[in-house]
Amino acid sequence: MGAANGRREALTVVALCVAWYALSSASNVVGKLAMTDFPYPLTVTMVQLLSLVAYSAPALSACGVRREPDFPRAYYWRTLVPLAVAKFFTTMFSQVSIWKVPISYAHTVKATTPLWTALLARVLLGERQPRGVQAALLLIALGVGVASATELHFDALGLGAALAAAALLSLQHIYSKRVLRDTGVHHLRLLQLGRLALVLLLPVWAVAEGGAPWRLAGASDAPRLAALLAADGALAWLQAVAAFSVLSRVSPLAYAVASAAKRAAVVGASLVVLRNPAPPLNLAGMALAALGVLAYNRAKLHARRAPPLPI
């Protein structure tokens, strides 16, 4: 019975990962198409957050997902509010990056998430990384550097936004796993953080891009753009459901491996669907970064089995 349950759980994780990769690839491609003609990344971010709120409440209720507990006020402000803010800015910077640079390059840069994780662990926790992990991090940096130097559509703002998204994504993963561990809340209830992010950042959007809906209404191809934005919001919600479902079922290390594979799938899908030109050295840089992420995950696994290094 135990072996059967284990196989069933493994098949569930594989199916969720396949759905996650497909939905994330589609979301990135649709988002790129939308912002090519409607360059308002904050508005696209707000559409995604609105979709999280609009779809999550009825879906969770229909599926009988238990309500979240009443969080202590101190925990709410110390953990949930920073997580919601990180969610908003991760989404926003991701949108800016795929607006300014090709999706393949944006996701190559976002492969630097392990670099940010290691830096945060060093600064916040005083952790030193083993040599194998350090070598893998250097390989990631080398791959991103080669990809940046050979990117035909390089843009400094796009690079900065992708780096910021990677840093915030590492924080999101750490805090999300902590909330799941500390509170026992159902993993899909974390989608409701979109509601908190929406409330907190609505004034920012109103000041920066509050007139965007009127510009959309006056556009000659308004129905097409509205359809792309609606599809992007729905796809973003679905891929978030798949991502949190994977996160709740596997260890942080396994999730990091799955996330690296997802990024490779998104890069491949964008190159095929959007046909962005990519010189051989550019592809080599992407491959080096992906190899570095896999080497990092492997080195972290060995490090966990070994005695800790002295601080």
Side-chain angles (χ1 to χ4, degrees), residues 26-294:
S27 177
N28 276 270
V29 169
V30 170
K32 179 71 171 182
L33 292 173
M35 279 189 295
T36 299
D37 297 325
F38 187 70
Y40 295 96
L42 269 176
T43 301
V44 175
T45 300
M46 296 302 287
V47 168
Q48 290 194 357
L49 292 176
L50 279 169
S51 299
L52 282 177
V53 175
Y55 296 137
S56 294
L60 297 182
S61 177
C63 294
V65 175
R66 65 181 182 274
R67 296 186 62 82
E68 67 269 25
D70 292 327
F71 297 106
R73 180 171 297 183
Y75 188 84
Y76 188 87
W77 286 102
R78 187 177 66 249
T79 304
L80 297 183
V81 169
L83 184 54
V85 173
K87 168 65 180 173
F88 175 86
F89 282 106
T90 301
T91 306
M92 184 191 73
F93 284 128
S94 294
Q95 298 305 321
V96 172
S97 67
I98 67 171
W99 167 38
K100 286 295 185 179
V101 296
I103 295 172
S104 54
Y105 176 61
H107 278 268
T108 300
V109 175
K110 285 165 72 174
T112 58
T113 297
L115 282 167
W116 295 104
T117 301
L119 178 62
L120 289 170
R122 179 62 176 169
V123 172
L124 301 178
L125 305 175
E127 292 182 2
R128 292 176 56 194
Q129 302 298 331
R131 290 184 179 179
V133 173
Q134 293 176 15
L137 294 175
L138 285 175
L139 189 58
I140 294 171
L142 176 62
V144 173
V146 171
S148 299
T150 56
E151 175 55 50
L152 296 177
H153 301 285
F154 178 81
D155 183 271
L157 178 58
L159 170 63
L163 287 171
L168 288 166
L169 195 60
S170 65
L171 275 178
Q172 253 192 275
H173 291 165
I174 292 170
Y175 272 94
S176 295
K177 203 67 181 179
R178 177 181 295 179
V179 171
L180 291 173
R181 184 188 66 239
D182 292 348
T183 67
V185 66
H186 193 283
H187 59 277
L188 292 182
R189 284 293 173 189
L190 292 181
L191 293 171
Q192 298 290 73
L193 287 170
R195 179 176 57 196
L196 179 57
L198 191 64
V199 171
L200 289 173
L201 280 306
L202 188 60
V204 177
W205 169 80
V207 171
E209 295 183 4
W214 303 110
R215 295 185 183 93
L216 174 62
S220 58
D221 55 347
R224 172 181 168 274
L225 290 175
L228 285 173
L229 290 173
D232 183 51
L235 288 167
W237 175 70
L238 287 170
Q239 77 98 14
V241 170
F244 276 124
S245 297
V246 172
L247 181 63
S248 70
R249 284 176 162 83
V250 301
S251 68
L253 181 61
Y255 183 81
V257 174
S259 184
K262 185 264 298 186
R263 210 168 294 290
V266 172
V267 169
S270 70
L271 289 173
V272 170
V273 176
L274 298 178
R275 301 184 182 277
N276 296 320
L281 273 179
N282 189 250
L283 293 174
M286 295 179 192
L288 270 179
L291 181 63
V293 172
L294 293 175

